[in-house]
Amino acid sequence: MQTVDLAPPRPLRDLPAPKGLPLLGIALQLVPARLHLTLEQWGRELGETFSFGLGPQRVYVSSNPDHLQTALRERPERYRRFSPIEDIIKEMGFNGVFSVEGEAWRPQRRLVMPALAPHNFRGFFGTVQDITERLRRRWQQAAEEGRTLEMTEELTRYTVDVTTALSFGEDPNTIDSAGDVIQDHLARVFPTLNTRINAPFPWWRYVRLPSDRRFDASLAVVRRHIEGLIGRARQRMREQPADAPRHLLEAMLKAADEPGSGIDDAVIAANVMTLLLAGEDTTAHTLAWTMYFVASDPALQSRLQADALQCLGDHRVCPDLETVRMLDVFEASANEATRLKSTIPLIFLETVTDVVLGDVALPAGTPLFFLLRPAMQDPGHFGRPGDFMPERWVAGHENVQPHDNRAFVQFGAGPRVCPGRHLAGVEMRLVLSMLARNFTLEHAGDPAEIREVMAFTMKPSAMPMRLRAR
């Protein structure tokens, strides 16, 4: 009988690595706003798995989707989110369901997950529809006046309104507001988080730079906003009692009042902040990148306009939940945009115990940086990977092969998959079908000048657009 000797796992230090400096490693080469691009370039040079030194730590970097799936599905026992994320978010005061680790995660998940389940969509569809119509009227006026719209800002107003109305029972109507609105302050959170996570030294704890003071001021505004949401919700519950919670915030407050719940106002405030950030950022940026591709391809835009007219008919905005289910091509367009312009280009994890991932031995506490876009642009996972083809995501178009859904993890995977992914899909379907039904979209500048900016999520540097009414 022939025996096969299995090679022992490689130590982390044996992986290929970019050149760095003693002690600092490559810390000085990592510009936070370009972090994903730098790591992707090193991946092209060094292979799908490499490492680098970051101060005293050695970081494991991989673009292998099977290894990422393993890590995501074996949380929280063997892997967790990169610990500086929780530390810094806790320092900022909003350690909610996105960032909290260990046993504290499960009760927070039970607070948030049920309210965002698909079976609740019928109850809140009318609210999302009304906010989408409000956005259409704003865009109609801009089209009539020939104004250029900064689409990232426009879409952020929309997602803040939807999230606040559905989760907290208030409609802030930032779409019709001028001047200082809450998303202007929320917009400072993710870039600051991204910078601090990747900092070799926590300078902000000792020296406050002007950017830190601006962030502190915005964080204070956001905290007051959240305190107001919680206070007004408690008052409505006292003055207008209901048998069942009317929205997520009421459900959280009711759960906190149960004896022995272990949920206090700090946990509730942390999850209000988490929902505001998660609902505002990723969906808005995904929609903006989708518009980038639609405006760049007149033939695609014509097809989407025909699909919108066929589904919506005389309605300017999707009229009901049954029609939402007909709008697959619009969510497919958003999926295809994130495949090419990954809104979540990196997932930061960390080993909890000593593990072997692939053929590499990773000690407990090893930072893991997973690159998502290389696998999504690999012909081994997606056929014709350089082409923008929404149809690859629509049932009945299986001829675009291969199509490896395991390599597409924009909403995560495993036990901590994003609870808001279904709501995001509804928002994308409504906005993109409304856009195609009512307008023709044009770049207002040179699209080649639009840069990718890493700010924890990946957003466009700008997205100026002009609309022509149809």
Side-chain angles (χ1 to χ4, degrees):
M1 179 177 177
Q2 186 178 7
T3 61
V4 178
D5 293 329
L6 296 178
R10 292 183 291 168
L12 187 57
R13 65 177 178 273
D14 284 0
L15 292 179
K19 292 181 179 179
L21 297 173
L23 299 180
L24 288 176
I26 52 78
L28 299 182
Q29 300 176 51
L30 294 182
V31 178
R34 293 181 49 82
L35 176 63
H36 67 298
L37 297 173
T38 300
L39 296 182
E40 287 175 358
Q41 179 59 39
W42 286 343
R44 287 189 286 271
E45 296 168 359
L46 301 172
E48 73 170 12
T49 303
F50 61 96
S51 72
F52 60 79
L54 187 62
Q57 291 186 300
R58 190 118 208 118
V59 178
Y60 168 94
V61 187
S62 177
S63 57
N64 185 305
D66 293 326
H67 297 170
L68 173 57
Q69 287 282 347
T70 295
L72 291 174
R73 295 182 186 282
E74 294 184 2
R75 296 172 70 187
E77 290 78 17
R78 291 161 65 84
Y79 301 89
R80 57 161 288 162
R81 200 178 297 280
F82 187 36
S83 56
I85 295 177
E86 184 178 19
D87 294 342
I88 292 167
I89 286 179
K90 189 183 298 182
E91 181 181 72
M92 293 177 176
F94 56 96
N95 192 26
V97 68
F98 167 78
S99 56
V100 70
E101 292 286 343
E103 288 305 311
W105 168 72
R106 297 186 192 279
Q108 293 201 31
R109 180 73 164 187
R110 287 193 293 270
L111 275 180
V112 173
M113 195 72 172
L116 297 175
H119 63 259
N120 289 324
F121 286 4
R122 190 168 299 279
F124 64 58
F125 176 76
T127 300
V128 184
Q129 182 190 44
D130 290 345
I131 295 172
T132 307
E133 168 59 20
R134 180 190 304 159
L135 184 65
R136 186 201 67 79
R137 291 196 303 268
R138 177 182 171 92
W139 286 359
Q140 179 71 32
Q141 183 176 356
E144 291 171 358
E145 296 172 357
R147 285 190 286 113
T148 295
L149 294 169
E150 175 44 64
M151 278 300 181
T152 307
E153 295 177 3
E154 294 291 308
L155 295 163
T156 300
R157 289 173 182 263
Y158 174 80
T159 54
V160 165
D161 283 1
V162 169
T163 300
T164 305
L166 295 185
S167 299
F168 315 127
E170 295 187 7
D171 182 357
N173 193 4
T174 66
I175 289 175
D176 291 335
S177 299
D180 190 33
V181 289
I182 191 64
Q183 71 259 25
D184 296 335
H185 301 284
L186 289 169
R188 291 199 173 103
V189 175
F190 273 149
T192 301
L193 179 60
N194 188 54
T195 297
R196 292 183 180 182
I197 287 169
N198 294 288
F201 176 75
W203 76 83
W204 61 91
R205 294 173 185 165
Y206 307 96
V207 178
R208 309 301 287 182
L209 301 176
S211 59
D212 297 308
R213 290 194 290 272
R214 287 192 296 271
F215 171 73
D216 290 342
S218 285
L219 196 57
V221 171
V222 173
R223 283 183 180 135
R224 289 194 296 272
H225 178 72
I226 291 171
E227 289 169 1
L229 287 171
I230 293 172
R232 290 189 295 274
R234 284 197 185 280
Q235 183 176 355
R236 283 192 297 270
M237 291 172 72
R238 288 192 300 269
E239 296 176 352
Q240 305 168 29
D243 293 335
R246 287 161 288 206
H247 46 76
L248 179 56
L249 180 52
E250 283 195 3
M252 289 194 290
L253 292 169
K254 187 174 181 179
D257 291 340
E258 294 292 328
S261 70
I263 300 166
D264 57 21
D265 275 8
V267 170
I268 293 171
N271 281 291
V272 170
M273 177 70 136
T274 298
L275 288 164
L276 282 171
L277 288 169
E280 172 238 358
D281 223 51
T282 51
T283 303
H285 296 163
T286 296
L287 284 166
W289 282 120
T290 306
M291 292 182 184
Y292 169 89
F293 288 104
V294 171
S296 302
D297 187 340
L300 168 64
Q301 184 163 192
S302 294
R303 293 199 302 273
L304 293 177
Q305 288 172 335
D307 287 333
L309 187 60
Q310 180 178 1
C311 293
L312 304 188
D314 294 333
H315 298 281
R316 294 291 182 176
V317 172
C318 181
D320 49 50
L321 199 55
E322 285 66 34
T323 305
V324 171
R325 299 189 179 102
M326 300 166 56
L327 302 174
D328 288 350
V329 69
F330 296 97
E331 187 171 357
S333 298
N335 285 343
E336 186 70 343
T338 53
R339 188 182 66 81
L340 294 171
K341 294 288 189 181
S342 183
T343 310
I344 307 294
L346 290 166
I347 291 180
F348 303 91
L349 299 176
E350 185 177 298
T351 55
V352 174
T353 63
D354 294 350
V355 302
V356 175
L357 189 57
D359 65 346
V360 181
L362 301 172
T366 300
L368 314 175
F369 290 9
F370 286 98
L371 296 165
L372 274 58
R373 182 159 52 182
M376 295 191 291
Q377 297 189 7
D378 183 338
H381 296 292
F382 289 97
R384 298 173 61 182
D387 295 342
F388 188 87
M389 300 177 65
E391 57 268 27
R392 75 171 80 238
W393 300 97
V394 178
H397 288 81
E398 290 81 1
N399 57 316
V400 187
Q401 294 295 327
H403 184 93
D404 183 3
N405 279 323
R406 285 172 56 85
F408 185 82
V409 287
Q410 288 298 283
F411 293 102
R416 297 195 64 161
V417 67
C418 175
R421 64 195 184 282
H422 300 298
L423 173 59
V426 171
E427 291 179 89
M428 292 171 191
R429 288 170 181 244
L430 262 65
V431 170
L432 294 173
S433 63
M434 176 272 285
L435 174 70
R437 169 64 181 81
N438 298 288
F439 304 101
T440 296
L441 185 67
E442 300 172 347
H443 285 288
D446 182 357
E449 295 180 357
I450 298 173
R451 295 174 290 103
E452 298 181 4
V453 178
M454 182 69 179
F456 201 72
T457 59
M458 193 278 285
K459 64 179 184 178
S461 57
M463 194 62 71
M465 295 280 181
R466 280 190 294 268
L467 299 174
R468 287 189 291 107
R470 298 182 66 226

